[in-house]
Amino acid sequence: MPQDKERDREAIARLTESMIDHIISSNDEEILSESKELYGDIPQAAAQMRALLEKTVLHANKRNLENARIALAQSNVGSEATVLPINKLEARQCYEAFLVRDSDASSKITMAARNGKQQSQRDIDSALSDMAELGAFLKSNKT
Amino acid sequence: MSQPAVNKPANEIKDLLRALTDAEWMKLRLIARCHCNWRGLGRWTEPDDLLQEALLRTLDGSRNCPSDITVIKFLDGVMRSLADGEWEKHSRRPVLVAIVGHGGEPGIAPDPADVRPDSEKSLLYTQARQRLIDLFKNDAEAQIIVEGMMDGMDGQELRDLTELDPIAYDSKRRLIRRRINKDLANGETDATR
C-alpha cells in the first residue's frame, strides 16, 4: 500500500519539523549552549558561517552576472542591425545622378576630409554606405 | 481579492544575513543538521553544504523570500525543499548492471529486477524511525513525546498524555532534541546505522 511506504518517512518528517520549531523558538542561551557541545568555540563557528556567506555572495553575484549576460544575448537575438543588400552599380549611378543634379554637392560631400582633393574610391564607397544607411537606395532596390 | 505576495529585495536579504547574530547562525546550522540527517537521512549532503545551497538560491534570486517571513524561517523552508529533492533524486536513480547486448557487445543498462527506489527508501525510514524510538527506551515520557510527534500530535495533546506542565514539557523537548543530535554526533553521520 502506498500509504505504508510513506508512513515512516512522514513520521520522521513530522518529528524533524517539531525539532526545528523548537530550535526556532529556543532562546539564544539554549542555542549557544547546545551549539558549543557540537561545534566547540562559538565565535569561531559563527565566523566560519559568515565566511561561508561572503563566499556564497560572490558565487551568487557571479551567477547573476552570467544570467544577465544570457538574458542580454537572448534579447539581442533577432534584433541585429538589418543589412539591406544593395546593387552597387545602381547605387553608384544613383550617386552620380545626384551629383549631376546638384552641382554644389560634389564640393560639399566630404570636403573637410578631402582637403580640396578629388574623391577617392574609398570616399565614394563611404558616401554610398552613408546614403544606403539613410535609405537613399531603398526605392531602387525594391524595383 | 488577495494581495500579491511581496518579496524581500535581494539587497535587503543580503543585509539581513550579514546582520545575523552568532546564535542565529547556530540556529541555521542546527536546522540544516536536522534536515540533512533526518529528512534526507544524512547520506548525500553535509549540513553546511545544504545551508550554503539554500543561501545561494536565496541570494541569486532562484528562491524569493516573502516580506512577512523571517530569513531564518525562509531558509528553513528552502533547506527542507532541497533535502526532499535530494532524497527523491537519489531514490529514483536506477541501478546499472553490466549486460551483453544482442551483438555480443558488453554494456550497461538499468537493472529491470531492481526495486530499490521503493523498498530501500521504505526500509531506511523504518530503521531510522525505530532507532529514534529506541533512543528513549529508558525514558517513557520522552518516548511518548517522540512517538506522538511522529504521529502529528500537538503540544497540548502531548502534555495531556505525559501529564507534564508547559515548563517540564519544554525541558523534555529540549532533552529529546539534544539527545538525538548528540547520538548522531557520537556515531557515523548515518541516521540508519
Side-chain angles (χ1 to χ4, degrees), chain B residues 147-163:
Chain B
E147 291 196 60
M149 283 173 173
M150 286 177 169
D151 290 339
M153 294 172 85
D154 66 23
Q156 185 59 55
E157 288 173 302
L158 292 170
R159 280 200 298 275
D160 290 345
L161 269 177
T162 53
E163 297 182 18

Side-chain angles (χ1 to χ4, degrees), chain A residues 53-83:
Chain A
L53 170 67
E54 292 310 321
K55 195 174 140 191
T56 312
V57 167
L58 285 178
H59 194 158
N61 288 346
K62 211 171 162 184
R63 191 178 273 188
N64 288 337
L65 179 67
E66 281 165 15
N67 290 339
R69 277 185 182 144
I70 291 167
L72 186 66
Q74 282 171 346
S75 71
N76 283 339
V77 170
S79 65
E80 285 94 356
T82 305
V83 178

